[in-house]
C-alpha cells in the first residue's frame, strides 16, 4: 500500500479512544454526526486497559483474600491461597469484555473506527499511520475535531522503567508472581491504592513520598485514617524523603532517598513501583499544525465548552490537565460532542467527585468548609462517624466519617468528604444534591433504607441542621 493513498472525509474526527474520546464519538454518533474515531493502541484507553478497571479488580480481589484471612472476630477461620496468575487472568477477562464493548458501542452509534496514530496536517486534514511496517497511512479530511490523547506516567529521573525491577502502574497490574517486597515511590492515589492491594496480598511494602504526607489534597484527617490503616496492614511510610536513584543489590533493588535536611537512606525491595503522577500526552498528534500550543504543564487549555484556541478543535480528558479522572473525561467528551453538534452544552466542574479506593475509601465532591469560606459562603458542617452507623459495624468497618458542608443561610449543599466503606459510591448522593441545587433538608428528609451506609449521609445532613438521631448534634 502506498503511504497516503486512501482519503476519507468525516464531520467529526476524534483522536484517542479512551473515556474522553469514545464518549465524544458515541454521543456525536447519537446526535447524527458522521464520526471517525482513531485509536493508536487499545480502545478504552488507560482507564479500561491499565488504569481504573484493572486496578479496581486487583484491589477488590486482594481485599477479598485479606478479609477472609482476617475475620476471626466474626468466627471465621480461613486461609486464602492467591494465585496471582489466575487473578491477573480474571482481570484481563474483564478488560477484554469492556474494551470489546467499547468497539461494539461505537459501531452501534455509527462511529467509523480506524486503528492507527493520527496527526494533524492542517486545520482540516489529519494523517493516520496504521501500526506496523508497510501498513501505510490514510488521510482524513474533517470539519471538526476532538483531541482526547490522554496522559502517560511521569518519568522519575534515575528510575527508568524496565518492567522487571522498575515498574510503572501498568506493569504492577500485570505481575504474574507476587513480589516479596515492593518499594512504591509516590504516595498519590495510584501509589496508595496499589500499595494497599499488594500489602493485602502479602508483599512487604514501603512507600517513599517526597512530601510531608501521602494523598495530598484529600484532607489531613482523611489521609491520617487511610495512612493509619495502611500501617496496620504492614505498609511502612518514608515521608519527606525524595527517591534519588537505585542500584542492584543481588536480586533486589536498593533505592536511595534524601530527606529535606540532606540525610540519605536506602531501602531494599524485590521490585520498585514508580507512581509519581501522570502528565498530559499533548505531543502525539502534531497540535502545531492546527495552531494549538500546550501550556507550561503540557496540557491543552479549553473553555467551558471544551473549545481550544483552534477554531473547530475541542480537547477533552487527561490531555486538558487536572482533574485527570475518567468520569471527568466522559463528561467532557459528551459536552464536546454536543457542542460540535450545535447544542448549548457546558461543563460545570462544581460537582465532579473524586475517590481513592484505599482501605477505607475516600470520596470527595464540591467544597470543604475552608473552600466554602474562601468562596464567600458562611458554611455549616454536619458529620456522622462511621462508628455510629449500624451498617458499618456489621461490615466490620467502623473507621471514617461522612462530613457534609452546606451554606448556613440557605441550606444549599456545597460539598462532602466521606471516609469509609464504599465512600466512592456514597459520594454520588451528595454530587446529585449539588447538581440539583438541593438543600440539607432534602437529603435529611429522604428516607434511606436501614441498615445501610447511605443512612450516614442523611444523618450527616441532619447533624448540620441539629436534628441527627444517631450522633450528638453540634
Ligand atoms: C493505575 C490507574 C488507576 C486509575 N484509577 C482511576 C479511577 O479509579 N477512577 C478514575 O476516574 N480515574 C482513574 N485513573 C485515571 C483514568 O484512567 C484517566 O483519567 C482516563 O483514562 C482519562 O481518559 P482519556 O480519554 O483522557 O485518556 P486515556 O484513557 O489515556 O486515552 C487516551 C487514548 O488516546 C490514544 N492516543 C494517544 N495519542 C493518539 C494519537 N495521536 N492517535 C490515536 N490515538 C492516540 C491512546 O492510545 C489512548 O488509548 C487511573 C489511572 C491509572 C493509571
Amino acid at each position: 500500500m502506498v503511504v497516503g493513498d486512501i482519503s476519507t472525509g468525516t464531520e467529526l474526527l476524534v483522536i484517542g479512544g479512551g473515556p474522553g474520546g469514545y464518549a465524544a464519538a458515541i454521543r456525536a454518533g447519537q446526535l447524527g454526526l458522521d464520526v471517525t474515531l482513531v485509536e493508536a493502541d487499545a480502545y478504552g484507553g488507560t482507564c479500561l486497559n491499565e488504569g481504573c478497571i484493572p486496578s479496581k479488580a486487583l484491589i477488590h480481589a486482594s481485599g477479598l483474600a485479606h478479609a477472609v484471612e482476617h475475620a476471626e472476630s466474626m468466627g471465621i477461620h480461613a486461609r486464602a491461597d492467591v494465585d496471582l496468575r489466575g487473578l491477573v487472568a480474571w482481570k484481563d477477562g474483564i478488560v477484554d469484555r469492556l474494551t470489546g464493548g467499547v468497539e461494539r458501542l461505537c459501531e452501534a452509534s455509527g462511529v467509523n473506527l480506524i486503528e492507527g496514530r493520527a496527526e494533524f496536517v492542517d486545520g482540516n486534514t489529519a494523517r493516520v499511520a496504521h501500526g506496523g511496517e508497510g501498513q501505510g497511512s490514510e488521510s482524513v479530511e474533517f470539519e471538526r475535531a476532538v483531541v482526547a490523547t490522554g496522559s502517560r506516567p511521569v518519568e522519575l529521573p534515575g528510575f527508568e522503567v524496565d518492567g522487571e525491577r522498575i515498574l510503572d502502574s501498568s506493569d504492577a497490574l500485570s505481575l504474574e508472581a507476587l513480589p516479596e517486597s515492593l518499594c512504591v515511590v509516590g504516595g498519590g492515589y495510584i501509589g496508595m491504592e496499589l500499595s494497599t492491594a499488594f500489602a493485602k496480598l502479602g508483599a512487604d511494602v514501603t512507600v517513599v513520598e517526597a512530601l510531608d504526607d501521602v494523598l495530598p489534597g484529600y484532607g489531613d484527617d482523611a489521609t491520617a485514617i487511610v495512612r493509619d490503616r495502611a500501617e496496620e496492614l504492614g505498609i511502612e511510610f518514608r515521608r519527606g524523603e525524595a527517591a534519588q536513584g537505585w542500584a542492584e543489590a543481588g536480586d533486589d533493588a536498593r533505592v536511595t532517598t534524601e530527606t529535606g535536611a540532606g540525610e540519605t537512606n536506602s531501602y531494599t525491595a524485590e521490585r520498585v513501583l514508580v507512581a509519581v503522577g501522570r502528565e498530559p500526552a499533548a505531543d502525539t498528534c502534531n497540535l502545531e499544525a492546527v495552531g494549538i500550543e500546550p501550556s507550561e504543564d503540557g496540557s491543552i487549555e479549553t473553555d467551558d465548552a471544551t473549545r481550544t484556541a483552534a477554531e473547530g478543535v475541542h480537547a477533552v480528558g487527561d490531555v486538558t490537565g487536572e482533574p485527570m479522572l475518567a468520569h471527568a473525561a466522559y463528561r467532557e467528551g459528551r459536552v464536546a460532542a454536543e457542542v460540535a453538534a450545535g447544542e448549548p452544552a457546558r461543563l460545570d466542574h462544581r460537582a465532579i467527585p473524586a475517590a481513592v479506593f484505599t482501605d477505607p475509601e475516600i470520596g470527595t465532591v464540591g467544597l470543604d468548609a475552608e473552600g466554602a469560606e474562601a468562596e464567600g459562603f458562611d458554611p455549616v458542617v454536619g458529620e456522622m462517624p462511621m462508628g455510629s452507623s449500624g451498617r458499618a459495624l456489621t461490615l466490620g468497618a467502623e473507621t471514617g466519617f461522612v462530613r457534609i458542608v452546606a451554606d448556613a443561610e440557605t441550606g444549599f449543599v456545597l460539598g462532602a468528604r466521606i471516609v469509609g466503606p464504599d465512600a466512592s459510591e456514597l459520594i454520588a448522593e451528595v454530587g446529585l444534591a449539588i447538581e440539583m441545587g438541593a438543600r440539607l433538608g432534602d437529603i435529611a428528609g429522604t428516607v434511606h433504607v436501614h441498615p445501610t451506609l447511605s443512612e450516614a449521609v442523611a444523618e450527616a445532613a441532619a447533624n448540620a441542621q441539629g436534628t441527627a438521631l444517631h450522633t450528638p448534634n453540634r
Side-chain angles (χ1 to χ4, degrees), residues 15-21 38-42 45-47 50-52 55-56 116-118 148-151 169 189-190 278 284-285 317-318 324-327 329 357:
I15 303 179
V38 185
E39 169 53 51
D41 185 7
T46 305
C47 168
E50 48 199 25
C52 326
S55 61
K56 268 75 249 182
R117 179 166 297 274
T149 49
S151 62
S169 56
Y189 85 91
I190 294 176
R278 295 182 67 82
T284 69
C285 64
D318 283 9
M324 291 201 204
L325 294 169
H327 44 273
F357 293 75

Side-chain angles (χ1 to χ4, degrees), residues 342-426:
E343 300 209 347
R346 288 293 177 272
L347 291 171
D348 179 356
H349 278 105
R350 272 178 320 156
I352 295 189
V356 186
F357 293 75
T358 38
D359 178 4
E361 293 183 354
I362 303 175
T364 66
V365 68
L367 300 172
D368 59 13
E370 295 77 48
E373 261 171 35
E375 293 215 1
F377 293 101
D378 172 19
V380 59
V381 177
E383 200 165 303
M384 168 74 173
M386 283 296 174
S388 301
S389 154
R391 183 58 178 147
L393 298 193
T394 66
L395 296 171
E398 62 185 82
T399 314
F401 56 81
V402 177
R403 182 181 302 142
I404 289 191
V405 178
D407 178 46
E409 193 186 327
T410 60
F412 282 124
V413 178
L414 300 173
R417 179 169 298 146
I418 302 179
V419 183
D422 292 338
S424 57
E425 303 281 349
L426 296 174

Side-chain angles (χ1 to χ4, degrees), residues 9-11 16 46 54 101 109 130 139 167 179 190 334 344 356 360 373 419 457:
T10 190
E11 281 179 296
T46 305
S109 297
H130 300 297
S139 174
L167 314 175
I190 294 176
R334 185 183 269 271
V356 186
E373 261 171 35
V419 183
V457 178

Side-chain angles (χ1 to χ4, degrees), residues 14 27 53 68 138 178 201 245 295 318 330 407 410 447 469:
V14 181
R27 184 71 189 119
I53 296 297
V68 298
E138 66 186 280
L178 182 69
L201 290 172
S295 37
D318 283 9
Y330 287 129
D407 178 46
T410 60
V447 179
L469 299 177

Side-chain angles (χ1 to χ4, degrees), residues 95-129:
V95 169
D96 287 349
R97 189 167 158 185
L98 291 173
T99 53
V102 167
E103 268 186 84
R104 283 190 295 281
L105 288 167
C106 286
E107 282 163 357
S109 297
V111 176
N112 175 35
L113 297 174
I114 304 182
E115 287 172 21
R117 179 166 297 274
E119 283 196 357
F120 290 111
V121 176
D122 58 39
N124 289 99
T125 320
R127 178 162 298 122
V128 182

